[in-house]
């Protein structure tokens, strides 16, 4: 027998003490619900929330923490709301900048509105629907105590090719721009470890650097090659390899590794780093990030973490020019929230 339980995922979008609700008018009269609905087979919960917000409220959202769950067991409620058992998961979500929710042009037959309802009034809006009165007090507690339920998604936040598509037009990272301002390299040869969609690689080339990238994903390399002006082609080379499989690296004046080193498997990191060490010319620079031990992905065993002492040990033959530690919750590329613990380092090898 097919699994008879339907999973539904909804968004809790709050602005100015008001909650975004979808208004329906059907056989049971006027009632309201959170933007949300059934999760499709093969669809992630986060993707389902984002899709439902788009379909029901023309709203583009970043899906955050899981904050509440609910169930409907028909047998326990006299089959009041149908015969299908349901599990509901409610995620906090933020509207993307500039997005104003509205009724779609072709809404569902029963949908008649999209409304911002003051938090204090939401229980009154649920007269024909079971969920809202019940969640009001739960919501109040959740919001006042800022209690979030940890929601675990698969290890990689998204497929790299999806990540590359999402960030293919982003500007060069501040870490790169600030590092370029601070450095006085002897020559302009660089190595980028994990170049992703290539925005920083293209910037380095544009700034006159001779660049080698290490990148295992063909889709990322293709994005760079597509945009590479012909006159810069001779300054660009690719090592299409994972960090784990690297055999050798060129000697350079600058090694740049933005959010890539933690993806080297922990057991392979020491051998990989000994290759990286050999790649620094005297007085060469390094700019990049390491994940700390409190990072959620490190704690789950998905990425490589280094303590502050371990990172400082990697750079014992360097002068540290800038050091920044981030240790806080924040969104991932996929839009979910995780705990980030990141050391960002700019360092110069001693002569
Ligand atoms: C989070 S992205 C960062 C991309 C880019 N540097 C940026 O700042 O946007 C991680 C990059 O590391 C690459 N990567 C992941 N695992 C890797 C591995 N084991 N060896 C080499 N590169 C890897 C991915 O393909 C991707 O380009």
């Amino acid at each position: 027998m097919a699994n008879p339980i339907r999973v539904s995922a909804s968004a809790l979008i709050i602005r100015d003490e008001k909650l975004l609700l979808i208004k329906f008018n059907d056989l049971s009269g006027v009632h309201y619900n959170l933007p949300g609905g059934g999760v499709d087979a093969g669809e992630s919960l986060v993707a389902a929330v984002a899709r439902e917000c788009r379909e029901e409220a023309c709203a583009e959202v970043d899906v955050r923490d899981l904050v509440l769950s609910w169930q409907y067991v028909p047998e326990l409620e006299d089959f009041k709301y149908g015969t299908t058992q349901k599990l509901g998961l409610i995620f906090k979500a933020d509207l993307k900048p500039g997005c104003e929710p509205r009724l779609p042009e072709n809404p569902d037959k029963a949908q008649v509105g999209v409304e911002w309802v003051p938090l204090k009034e939401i229980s009154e809006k649920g007269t024909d629907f079971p969920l809202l009165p019940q969640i009001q007090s739960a919501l109040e507690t959740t919001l006042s105590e800022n209690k979030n339920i940890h929601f675990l998604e698969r290890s990689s936040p998204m497929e790299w090719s999806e990540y590359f598509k999402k960030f293919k037009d982003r500007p060069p990272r501040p870490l790169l721009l600030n590092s370029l301002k601070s450095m006085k390299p002897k020559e302009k040869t660089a190595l980028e470890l994990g170049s992703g969609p290539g925005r920083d690689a293209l910037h380095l080339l544009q700034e006159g650097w001779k660049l080698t990238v290490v990148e295992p994903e063909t889709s990322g390399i293709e994005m760079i090659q597509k945009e590479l002006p012909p006159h810069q082609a001779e300054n660009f080379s690719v090592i299409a390899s994972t960090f784990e499989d690297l055999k050798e690296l060129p000697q350079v004046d600058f090694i740049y590794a933005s959010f890539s080193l933690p993806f080297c498997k922990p057991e392979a990191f020491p051998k990989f780093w000994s290759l990286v060490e050999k790649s620094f010319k005297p007085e060469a620079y390094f700019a990049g990030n390491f994940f700390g031990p409190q990072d959620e992905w490190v704690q789950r065993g998905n990425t490589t973490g280094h303590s502050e002492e371990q990172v400082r040990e990697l750079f014992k033959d360097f002068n540290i020019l800038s050091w920044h530690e981030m240790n806080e919750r924040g969104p991932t590329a996929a839009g979910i929230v995780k705990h980030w613990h990141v050391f960002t380092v700019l360092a110069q090898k001693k002569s």
Side-chain angles (χ1 to χ4, degrees), residues 131-335:
L131 186 58
L132 289 172
Q134 288 170 15
I135 69 166
Q136 169 126 35
S137 63
L139 254 186
E140 277 166 10
T141 318
T142 309
L143 294 174
S144 67
E145 293 176 8
N146 205 11
K147 268 193 193 154
N148 298 323
I149 303 165
H150 274 227
F151 171 64
L152 305 183
E153 266 213 322
R154 66 194 155 93
S155 59
S156 167
M158 40 169 53
E159 294 299 327
W160 289 124
S161 55
E162 271 177 67
Y163 174 96
F164 297 169
K165 262 190 241 153
K166 186 163 176 177
F167 291 106
K168 74 179 176 29
D169 295 322
R170 72 157 169 77
R173 287 199 186 263
L175 172 64
L176 178 65
L177 299 178
N178 293 335
S179 303
L180 291 181
K181 271 190 218 145
S182 318
M183 299 186 320
K184 292 187 185 67
K186 288 186 175 162
E187 287 176 88
K188 288 176 109 178
T189 57
L191 175 66
E192 183 176 7
L193 302 171
S195 48
R199 303 322 295 175
D200 295 343
L202 288 163
H203 185 75
L204 280 164
L205 288 160
Q206 199 186 325
E207 292 293 304
W209 289 77
K210 193 172 163 62
L211 176 70
T212 302
V213 299
V214 175
E215 175 54 59
E217 295 285 326
T218 318
S219 60
I221 300 301
E222 284 171 355
M223 283 177 176
I224 302 177
Q225 277 162 343
K226 208 167 135 206
E227 288 197 34
L228 188 66
H231 69 278
Q232 285 169 6
E234 62 176 17
N235 290 329
F236 178 61
S237 56
V238 177
I239 302 176
S241 166
T242 62
F243 302 143
E244 291 83 348
D245 292 336
L246 269 179
K247 299 283 177 286
E248 59 176 354
L249 288 171
Q251 283 229 311
V252 291
D253 302 277
F254 177 37
I255 299 184
Y256 176 63
S258 161
F259 287 96
S260 55
L261 300 177
F263 297 99
C264 177
K265 292 204 175 74
E267 61 278 14
F269 194 88
K271 186 166 157 262
F272 161 60
W273 190 256
S274 67
L275 275 181
V276 175
E277 276 180 324
K278 287 192 206 112
S279 177
F280 287 102
K281 285 186 184 169
E283 295 177 48
Y285 292 85
F286 170 88
N289 320 93
F290 296 83
F291 284 177
Q294 288 158 48
D295 190 274
E296 202 172 308
W297 289 341
V298 171
Q299 295 206 341
R300 283 191 225 155
N302 301 325
T303 50
T304 295
H306 289 88
S307 65
E308 172 168 351
E309 294 67 33
Q310 288 169 330
V311 180
R312 290 195 185 273
E313 176 65 21
L314 296 179
F315 292 97
K316 63 180 187 311
D317 298 329
F318 289 66
N319 292 316
I320 306 270
L321 305 181
S322 136
W323 176 274
H324 180 260
E325 178 178 355
M326 175 171 80
N327 198 351
E328 63 194 34
R329 290 176 73 69
T332 66

Side-chain angles (χ1 to χ4, degrees), residues 64-68 89-92 147-151:
R64 309 293 190 198
D65 282 314
L66 177 61
V67 284
L68 278 181
L89 299 162
I90 302 177
F91 291 80
K92 258 190 218 154
K147 268 193 193 154
N148 298 323
I149 303 165
H150 274 227
F151 171 64

